[in-house]
Amino acid sequence: MLLPSLNPQCLPCLSFSHSISLPLPPSFFPNPSKSSHFPSFQINCIDAAQPFDYESHLKTRYIQSTSLKIAIVGFGNFGQFLSKTFLRHHHTLLAHSRTNYADLANQLGVFFYSDPNDLFEQHPDVVLLSTSILSTETLLRKLPFQRLRRNTLFVDVLSVKEFPRNLFLKYLPPDFDILCTHPMFGPESGKTSWTGLPFVYDKVRIGDEESRVKRCDKFLGIFEKEGCRMVEMSCMEHDKYAAGSQFVTHTMGRVLEKFGLESSPINTKGYETLLNLVENTKGDSFDLYYGLFMYNQNSLEQIERLDMAFESIKKDLFGRLHQVYRKQLFGDNGEVKRNTRLPQKLLGDASLIQTPLDNVRKDES
């Protein structure tokens, strides 16, 4: 018996996709391996048309329960750097920046909005400020907070902490949550891994509701899962420590860059470290360095300490050099050495005379 041509309307139970599902009785079809009427009939996958994929469904539900909608305001170099990791953790990313990064954002899988009103109308869970320190206050004054949910979480990743904390408390509505953070690494130092790199944070203002606490923990969980060394401290403590580490590091890197440090055929390990320091710091804008100086009240003290330390080293060097000259001139016992001329003396009329060398020899004899 020949099988009539199959009409989808006649066989509603028969479905075609990447494989074939046949819920009809087996006796309806002859055995394809023993019949010449079905030389090309075969089953590609016996479980491809399952009515419900529980594993995929559970994975989707888990991702939805742990994901956040994060709006990055300031999609420059550092914002792009963070977004790549956020995407790997299945978070939805939105972005806004003064520069049009629409094409780049599209390549990364980020939704770009040139107007902050359109961005905030998407009601993100988290608004992440990744702007320059110098433009932070100007930006905050212009943001349309009224388009956000009343308990939106605001996060910053600036290199100073007291300054953005004070701005958040001044300009944000009182119902908004505030989390001040500082990833102590960047696109160069963190390009291969974040494992062991310090991440500093301060929960300045987080609501008591369980959903708001979990939202904050989800965001911090991104860095924790990446292996960062999580350090919770106040913004004041951060700025004190950062001025003694980050600011000094940037200062020395820029000083050595001005000095003109260059590689040589006989570089030592220590010299290679200095070259790497210059390479890492010169990649950051001067605005960042100026912001570290201008908006961290501890930085001026560090500049003064560096200056005093350099002067102290100069005194040590020239002081020892003076001792060497004295020994060469007078000897170890303080007496004038043989064949050494005495210093010049002034006559009454202020003219200079030179003590004859023969007189020196006669006195010594």
Side-chain angles (χ1 to χ4, degrees):
M1 179 181 68
L2 294 177
L3 183 67
S5 59
L6 298 179
N7 188 338
Q9 296 179 352
C10 300
L11 298 173
C13 297
L14 186 61
S15 62
F16 291 88
S17 58
H18 294 291
S19 58
I20 299 177
S21 174
L22 298 173
L24 298 176
S27 59
F28 184 83
F29 295 99
N31 190 337
S33 62
K34 297 182 180 180
S35 174
S36 60
H37 298 291
F38 303 95
S40 61
F41 183 86
Q42 59 180 347
I43 298 177
N44 294 323
C45 184
I46 61 174
D47 64 344
Q50 293 293 324
F52 192 79
D53 191 343
Y54 288 100
E55 182 179 353
S56 176
H57 182 68
L58 290 175
K59 181 179 179 181
T60 301
R61 289 184 60 184
Y62 172 76
I63 292 175
Q64 290 176 347
S65 65
T66 57
S67 64
L68 294 168
K69 185 186 291 185
I70 303 174
I72 301 179
V73 179
F75 199 59
N77 190 31
F78 196 71
Q80 297 165 23
F81 166 67
L82 292 177
S83 68
K84 295 174 183 177
T85 299
F86 292 173
L87 288 170
R88 286 197 292 103
H89 288 267
H90 307 290
H91 297 289
T92 301
L93 293 189
L94 321 171
H96 164 72
S97 190
R98 289 179 299 178
T99 305
N100 188 353
Y101 290 111
D103 293 338
L104 177 60
N106 185 55
Q107 295 175 11
L108 295 175
V110 178
F111 300 96
F112 187 83
Y113 297 87
S114 57
D115 190 330
N117 290 278
D118 296 333
L119 174 70
F120 283 7
E121 284 179 352
Q122 305 305 313
H123 293 163
D125 302 307
V126 179
V127 176
L128 175 68
L129 259 64
S130 181
T131 60
S132 70
I133 301 173
L134 305 182
S135 62
T136 303
E137 184 169 13
T138 302
L139 174 70
L140 279 175
R141 289 175 176 174
K142 298 179 179 179
L143 291 180
F145 301 122
Q146 71 279 3
R147 300 190 182 278
L148 294 168
R149 292 193 182 96
R150 287 191 301 275
N151 65 353
T152 303
L153 171 62
F154 264 73
V155 183
D156 85 282
V157 288
L158 272 62
S159 298
V160 293
K161 291 274 68 70
E162 283 194 278
F163 175 66
R165 181 203 62 184
N166 295 338
L167 290 181
F168 280 167
L169 293 174
K170 179 180 179 180
Y171 290 108
L172 293 183
D175 291 332
F176 280 20
D177 289 345
I178 299 173
L179 176 65
C180 290
T181 75
H182 182 199
M184 303 288 291
F185 51 89
E188 284 298 321
S189 55
K191 62 183 177 182
T192 56
S193 173
W194 295 2
T195 302
L197 300 177
F199 178 84
V200 182
Y201 65 96
D202 183 9
K203 298 178 181 179
V204 178
R205 186 173 68 198
I206 305 296
D208 296 331
E209 291 88 342
E210 183 180 0
S211 60
R212 297 167 74 171
V213 174
K214 285 185 176 180
R215 179 179 59 190
C216 179
D217 292 340
K218 285 179 186 178
F219 182 82
L220 294 175
I222 301 173
F223 299 89
E224 189 172 3
K225 291 175 183 177
E226 285 294 315
C228 291
R229 180 163 58 88
M230 308 297 288
V231 183
E232 183 173 9
M233 66 170 54
S234 69
C235 294
M236 182 181 297
E237 288 179 296
H238 167 275
D239 283 0
K240 178 181 178 180
Y241 289 124
S245 58
Q246 186 185 30
F247 178 73
V248 171
T249 300
H250 277 262
T251 299
M252 296 309 300
R254 292 186 177 275
V255 168
L256 292 174
E257 183 185 4
K258 295 286 186 181
F259 176 76
L261 210 64
E262 295 180 350
S263 182
S264 73
I266 54 172
N267 289 350
T268 62
K269 290 293 184 181
Y271 194 74
E272 290 286 349
T273 301
L274 295 180
L275 290 172
N276 290 334
L277 173 62
V278 173
E279 188 67 23
N280 287 336
T281 53
K282 75 178 184 180
D284 294 318
S285 66
F286 188 81
D287 282 351
L288 170 61
Y289 177 61
Y290 179 72
L292 294 175
F293 172 74
M294 185 69 179
Y295 296 103
N296 187 338
Q297 60 182 348
N298 303 284
S299 296
L300 181 59
E301 177 187 353
Q302 298 302 318
I303 282 282
E304 294 174 346
R305 289 182 61 189
L306 285 171
D307 187 51
M308 289 188 294
F310 188 68
E311 289 298 324
S312 176
I313 290 176
K314 287 171 60 179
K315 288 181 180 179
D316 291 343
L317 288 174
F318 291 117
R320 181 163 297 187
L321 182 65
H322 178 68
Q323 294 175 8
V324 171
Y325 282 154
R326 286 185 60 84
K327 287 182 179 180
Q328 291 178 353
L329 183 63
F330 297 107
D332 294 338
N333 57 3
E335 297 179 355
V336 179
K337 297 181 66 176
R338 184 178 297 275
N339 299 331
T340 303
R341 292 181 179 273
L342 292 175
Q344 294 177 337
K345 298 181 180 180
L346 290 175
L347 296 175
D349 59 355
S351 60
L352 294 175
I353 62 172
Q354 187 71 34
T355 303
L357 185 60
D358 293 340
N359 293 343
V360 175
R361 291 174 178 173
K362 185 183 296 184
D363 293 340
E364 289 179 352
S365 61

